[in-house]
Amino acid sequence: MKWEKKGLIFEVRKQNEWMDNSALQPTPILIDDKIRVFCGFRDKGGVGRVGYVDLDAGNPSKVLTVSKTPCLDIGKPGCFDDNGVVPCAVTPVGDELYLFYAGYNIGYHVRMTIFCGLAVSRNNGETFERASNVPIMERTNNEFLFRVIHTAMKKEDGWMLYYGAGNHFLQGKKKTLPVYEIQLLEVPDLSDLREEGYKVICNEKNEYRVGRPYVVKDGEIWRMFFGGGTEDIIYQLAYAESYDGKKWTRMDEKLNLKCSDIGWDSEMMAYPAFIRYKEKAYLFYNGNNYGYEGFGYAELVSE
C-alpha cells in the first residue's frame, strides 16, 4: 500500500468545557456526501464524551460542522461508564445507528476498567440513547478488566464482533500497562454476549497490547487495521488480512505507514479507521499523546 499523509483535520484546542483536549479514536460513517466522524472529546479532567465532526467526503480536510453538545454523555454515577465514553464502532441497522462505545471506570487496585456499552440513534447520530445502564459486553472469567467491541459486522445469520480483551496490567517503568489482545465472537444476536470469543491477533515481540481492530470486507479480502504498543513505542499502526474474517495473517510491512519524523504524529499513530468513498480511500487516526492535538488522515494512493 502507498499512502499520502494529509495531516491534521481537526484540532480541539479548548473549544469548550467538554471539548478541551483530545479527539480520541475517530470512528467514521458515510452519510450521503459527508463523513461523520465520531470521537471521544475530553474535558480538562480527561473525561471523554462522544461528539462528531462532519467532513466533506471528497476532501476530508474540509470540516463542515462540529457537534455543539455531546451526542452521548457519561453514564450515571457508579455505572461502568461514569468516567468517560469513547466511540468504537458505528453500525447501521435498518434506519438506526448502533454505537458500540468504551465506558471507563476508575479503579482502586487497578487504574481503570473498560467495558462496552451500546447506544442507539434514530437521527444519523445527532443524539444517541443508551440501550442499558450496564455493559452490553460484561466481564467474563478470563476477560474481566477490558472487553470492548471495535467492529460489529451485521450478517444475515447474526453478528461478527471483533473486540479487545484482557485481564491484567504489567508494571512498567513509570506506570502500569494494560495488557489486551484481539478476539472474535460470532453470535446470532446481541442479547447475550457472555460467551468468550477466540483470539485472532496476539501480542508479538515486545508488545503488551494490540487493539482497536477496525475490520472491513473490501472486495474478496478482509482487512484489519489496528494498533500495537510497546513501552518504548506507545502505539504504532498494524495490519492483517484474511479471506474469511476468521483466520488472520499479520502483514504490518504491507501497510507501509509509519510515524513522521516531526510533527503531530511523530511519536505515535493509533486508533485507525478505514473508509472508502467512490474511488478514494482514507485512513483516519490519532497521533501523539492519544489524540491530544486532534485527529488526521492519510489517503490511499495505490494498493
Side-chain angles (χ1 to χ4, degrees), residues 78-270:
C79 286
F80 76 102
D81 54 358
D82 67 353
N83 201 65
V85 290
V86 174
C88 297
V90 179
T91 304
V93 180
D95 59 355
E96 299 176 329
L97 289 182
Y98 280 21
L99 172 67
F100 300 84
Y101 68 91
Y104 289 75
N105 189 254
I106 298 299
Y108 179 78
H109 292 289
V110 295
R111 285 200 289 129
M112 59 189 171
T113 57
I114 312 171
F115 293 101
C116 186
L118 173 64
V120 178
S121 175
R122 296 171 180 83
N123 54 12
N124 282 332
E126 293 289 335
T127 57
F128 285 93
E129 182 177 345
R130 277 176 173 78
S132 172
N133 287 321
V134 299
I136 185 174
M137 185 171 253
E138 253 286 11
R139 66 192 70 204
T140 65
N141 191 51
N142 296 303
E143 302 168 0
F144 52 79
L145 292 182
F146 320 111
R147 203 164 186 249
V148 179
I149 297 166
H150 289 271
T151 296
M153 303 185 76
K154 184 77 168 66
K155 306 186 301 177
E156 289 185 3
D157 60 347
W159 291 80
M160 295 180 74
L161 305 174
Y162 297 88
Y163 68 100
N167 58 26
H168 67 285
F169 286 81
L170 293 176
Q171 182 57 56
K173 299 173 184 176
K174 296 182 179 179
K175 61 181 181 181
T176 56
L177 308 173
V179 179
Y180 45 82
E181 296 176 304
I182 296 172
Q183 313 274 118
L184 170 60
L185 176 63
E186 297 182 82
V187 292
D189 56 54
L190 301 175
S191 63
D192 185 355
L193 305 184
R194 289 176 294 180
E195 182 181 350
E196 295 177 3
Y198 57 91
K199 291 180 183 179
V200 291
I201 301 289
C202 300
N203 294 324
E204 295 183 358
K205 300 176 183 178
N206 295 322
E207 291 172 333
Y208 64 87
R209 60 181 174 183
V210 285
R212 211 291 160 89
Y214 201 90
V215 177
V216 295
K217 191 175 186 300
D218 201 23
E220 296 300 316
I221 299 176
W222 294 64
R223 305 184 189 274
M224 180 191 294
F225 301 85
F226 61 102
T230 70
E231 191 163 18
D232 295 323
I233 302 176
I234 302 172
Y235 254 132
Q236 57 186 345
L237 299 186
Y239 177 73
E241 288 186 358
S242 173
Y243 289 102
D244 60 5
K246 300 177 182 181
K247 184 178 180 180
W248 291 85
T249 301
R250 189 161 172 176
M251 308 169 71
D252 294 358
E253 67 287 348
K254 186 173 180 177
L255 180 61
N256 192 32
L257 193 55
K258 303 292 185 180
C259 292
S260 300
D261 292 331
I262 59 173
W264 73 282
D265 62 351
S266 59
E267 298 174 8
M268 65 179 284
M269 297 173 69

Side-chain angles (χ1 to χ4, degrees), residues 33-49:
D33 289 327
K34 68 181 178 183
I35 300 173
R36 175 157 288 181
V37 182
F38 296 97
C39 296
F41 296 106
R42 299 193 216 187
D43 61 21
K44 290 181 179 178
V47 176
R49 294 167 175 84

